[in-house]
Amino acid sequence: MMFRQGGQGMTEAGEKTLLEVRNLHKTYGSWKRKPVYALDGVSFSLQEGCCLGVVGESGCGKSTLCRVIAGIERQDRGEVLYEGSSMDYKKRRNSLQMVFQNSMDAVNIHLRVGDIIAEPLENFTSLNRTQREQEVGRLLELVGLSVEDRIKYPRQFSGGQLQRICIARALAADPRILLLDEPLSSLDVSVQAQLLNLLWDLKKEFKLTCLLVSHDLEAVYYLADKLLVMYGGAVVEELVDIRDFARLRHPYTRRLIEAGALEEEGWEVVPERAGILGRKESSGGLLGKGCVYAKHCPRAKESCFERRPVLSQWEAGHKIACHLST
């Protein structure tokens, strides 16, 4: 499986900040268990027309981040800003649309596909019935399906086809921001490639602003313009321009790259999927005073266990939370 290099880079994306996340914290647990810090002070900004890739292994907090931004879950503290103002989810329900990992769980299996896609059109537009039917047909063709598929039920589609239907439903709301939460993880490699090409084409055609959550560095490198790397609920590395991928240097990020066998010369992508590191425990952290990655880092020193590194500027457009990189 070979991909052309994706990611247009921030110099070609818009400069207007559409979404800003400030110091988000989210904790799970109860009085019987130690709390797990799913989000531990996450901050970033997302410019209009840009795709931000959020990468990390299972349990690092990336899906929680996506759900908090979408308003599905509420943060403990911190804020989500939309065009500079605190997010009003009642007024902005159509502005953020989400494509979930498990497409079958994301749809009503008792509805026909045409009705599933038409639901946002009924909620967010003034189109009449005939116009909605025409728009459903256009959206189906846009994602590579047939107009005749509108009368079918979800169980009659493959996983890749159903994910295309979920993308069509999300686009029906005419969103400003598309949140993609592991949209490829349950699909085989060939179908992943097809959907990545679809998302790339949609992003270019409609200048979509996207947040792509994944543990697959290959997919993120292909589609994203900028990158966040998360571990233990915290951002450990941030890259403003994906074209500087070869400059990534945090020990955890390097481990992800090595696990995915992503070639650094020429960016030739091989079939193996990145990010599955084989550890049974989740990276979701118990808050400590040291680095969240210290106990798994082969380069860790005494200072790494004693003092929490701050995400700080390493070079222009590149931030790292690592004592060994400062």
Side-chain angles (χ1 to χ4, degrees), residues 159-311:
Q161 290 173 324
L162 194 53
Q163 197 64 288
R164 289 172 183 264
I165 290 166
C166 290
I167 293 170
R169 181 182 60 179
L171 294 176
D174 193 21
R176 298 286 301 281
I177 300 173
L178 196 59
L179 304 173
L180 304 165
D181 184 15
E182 299 272 14
L184 311 173
S185 64
S186 61
L187 308 173
D188 63 46
V189 174
S190 62
V191 178
Q192 287 181 19
Q194 294 169 14
L195 276 177
L196 273 176
N197 286 329
L198 171 64
L199 290 169
W200 170 260
D201 292 338
L202 292 173
K203 175 176 173 286
K204 294 290 287 185
E205 181 176 353
F206 299 105
K207 294 182 172 59
L208 286 174
T209 304
C210 306
L211 190 148
L212 172 63
V213 165
S214 182
H215 58 251
D216 192 334
L217 267 174
E218 178 182 332
V220 169
Y221 177 73
Y222 176 73
L223 192 63
D225 304 302
K226 57 189 296 188
L227 177 70
L228 286 184
V229 182
M230 290 186 64
Y231 185 88
V235 176
V236 297
E237 191 157 13
E238 179 180 357
L239 198 63
V240 168
D241 195 329
I242 198 69
R243 292 175 296 190
D244 293 329
F245 196 96
R247 305 182 74 86
L248 290 166
R249 59 182 290 119
H250 191 280
Y252 175 64
T253 310
R254 299 309 307 175
R255 187 180 175 191
L256 282 178
I257 293 171
E258 291 165 6
L262 196 57
E263 297 287 344
E264 291 193 25
E265 295 185 5
W267 303 114
E268 180 177 331
V269 179
V270 298
E272 289 80 2
R273 298 178 63 205
I276 305 297
L277 303 186
R279 291 199 301 109
K280 292 183 179 180
E281 70 272 25
S282 163
S283 67
L286 298 178
L287 189 62
K289 61 181 180 179
C291 174
V292 292
Y293 187 59
K295 68 177 183 178
H296 300 291
C297 180
R299 300 172 56 201
K301 298 182 178 180
E302 186 176 350
S303 60
C304 299
F305 294 91
E306 295 179 346
R307 184 166 48 91
R308 183 76 173 270
V310 177
L311 187 68

Side-chain angles (χ1 to χ4, degrees), residues 111-122 132 135-137 139-140 143 145 149-150 164-173:
L111 292 181
R112 296 180 188 271
V113 162
D115 295 325
I116 290 172
I117 298 175
E119 187 175 4
L121 298 173
E122 295 179 23
R132 289 198 300 268
E135 182 65 5
V136 167
L139 288 166
L140 282 169
V143 297
L145 297 175
D149 287 330
R150 67 198 310 160
R164 289 172 183 264
I165 290 166
C166 290
I167 293 170
R169 181 182 60 179
L171 294 176

